[in-house]
């Protein structure tokens, strides 16, 4: 299967979407969510956001996975997955490596029929260290004509991701082989 970024990949402007001038870091981005600033969104989009947050929190349920189109893409600094099944491999792995993972807060910054972009604060507690860490990110979801997520990008800093060289190879291998370890249901 071709692992090149799809034409519907979202390339958000982190500075434009996360501007908080008095509190900006040296990078010009502020990924900390401020829920009171969320833009209005439809009930369908709220359901998608809730399912995605459930997955980040280790739900790894078939129901939550259904927000993804069958040929969806997941893209973050470590993993590139190009099917719903491969994406499930990542989500089914969270409970295996995390003692807990919980969504602390979100802020929807964009909600249109074709995309949802929100800031996410997730608290992770790895099984090995048992020390919790809050992580802020910018989550961008591109939607298909049926309202399913076709591209999920999770940005941890102001830089967009490379889809070239060793970084691409590493990310694609992670996405391709993680399902062998995490064993999500084959019917996803």
């Amino acid at each position: 299967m071709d692992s090149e970024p799809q034409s519907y990949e979202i390339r958000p402007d982190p500075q434009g979407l996360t501007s908080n001038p008095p509190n900006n870091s040296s990078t010009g981005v502020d990924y900390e969510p401020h829920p009171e600033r969320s833009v209005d969104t439809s009930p369908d989009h709220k359901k998608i956001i809730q399912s995605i947050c459930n997955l980040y929190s280790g739900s790894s349920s078939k129901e939550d996975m259904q927000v993804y189109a069958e040929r969806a893409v997941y893209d973050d600094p470590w993993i590139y997955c190009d099917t719903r099944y491969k994406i499930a491999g990542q989500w089914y792995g969270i409970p295996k490596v995390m003692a807990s993972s919980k969504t602390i807060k979100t802020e929807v910054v964009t909600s249109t029929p074709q995309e949802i972009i929100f800031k996410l604060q997730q608290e992770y507690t790895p099984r090995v260290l048992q020390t919790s860490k809050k992580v802020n990110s910018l989550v961008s979801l591109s939607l298909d004509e049926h309202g399913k997520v076709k591209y999920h990008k999770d940005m941890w800093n102001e830089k967009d991701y490379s889809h070239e060289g060793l970084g691409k190879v590493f990310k694609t291998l992670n996405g391709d082989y993680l399902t062998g370890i995490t064993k999500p249901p084959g019917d996803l």
Side-chain angles (χ1 to χ4, degrees):
M1 177 176 290
D2 183 19
S3 291
E4 292 302 314
Q6 305 298 317
S7 62
Y8 45 80
E9 176 185 7
I10 295 176
R11 296 199 173 267
D13 172 13
Q15 286 83 5
L17 289 168
T18 67
S19 180
N20 187 11
N23 300 315
N24 270 356
S25 66
S26 61
T27 62
V29 298
D30 175 16
Y31 284 174
E32 182 174 349
H34 304 279
E36 70 281 0
R37 297 182 192 164
S38 283
V39 300
D40 288 335
T41 191
S42 71
D44 288 342
H45 283 191
K46 286 178 183 174
K47 185 175 187 265
I48 292 168
I49 293 167
Q50 184 59 57
S51 289
I52 297 293
C53 289
N54 291 347
L55 291 165
Y56 275 99
S57 296
S59 82
S60 59
S61 76
K62 285 185 180 181
E63 181 182 347
D64 287 328
M65 284 302 305
Q66 294 308 309
V67 300
Y68 290 104
E70 190 173 332
R71 303 286 300 206
V73 170
Y74 177 89
D75 191 10
D76 78 13
W78 295 100
I79 296 176
Y80 183 89
C81 304
D82 56 9
T83 68
R84 181 173 54 215
Y85 180 71
K86 290 179 186 178
I87 295 169
Q90 173 196 276
W91 296 128
Y92 276 70
I94 287 181
K96 294 180 187 300
V97 296
M98 296 294 164
S100 75
S101 175
K102 59 184 173 184
T103 300
I104 305 300
K105 55 187 175 177
T106 62
E107 175 190 349
V108 180
V109 296
T110 300
S111 181
T112 70
Q114 297 82 30
E115 70 180 3
I116 305 167
I117 302 175
F118 63 98
K119 296 178 186 181
L120 171 70
Q121 185 175 84
Q122 196 72 18
E123 184 177 79
Y124 298 101
T125 306
R127 289 195 180 279
V128 177
L129 301 175
Q130 291 292 316
T131 302
S132 298
K133 173 148 177 72
K134 290 180 182 173
V135 176
N136 296 324
S137 62
L138 185 67
V139 176
S140 304
L141 308 172
S142 175
L143 307 177
D144 69 13
E145 65 276 4
H146 304 291
K148 299 272 190 179
V149 176
K150 62 183 178 179
Y151 206 106
H152 178 159
K153 180 178 278 196
D154 187 352
M155 295 178 74
W156 303 348
N157 60 38
E158 77 284 357
K159 297 179 182 133
D160 206 347
Y161 307 138
S162 170
H163 295 102
E164 299 174 351
L166 284 178
K168 177 191 176 282
V169 170
F170 175 75
K171 288 172 53 157
T172 301
L173 286 173
N174 277 344
D176 287 350
Y177 293 102
L178 197 55
T179 56
I181 298 166
T182 62
K183 310 250 186 268
D187 59 353
L188 283 174

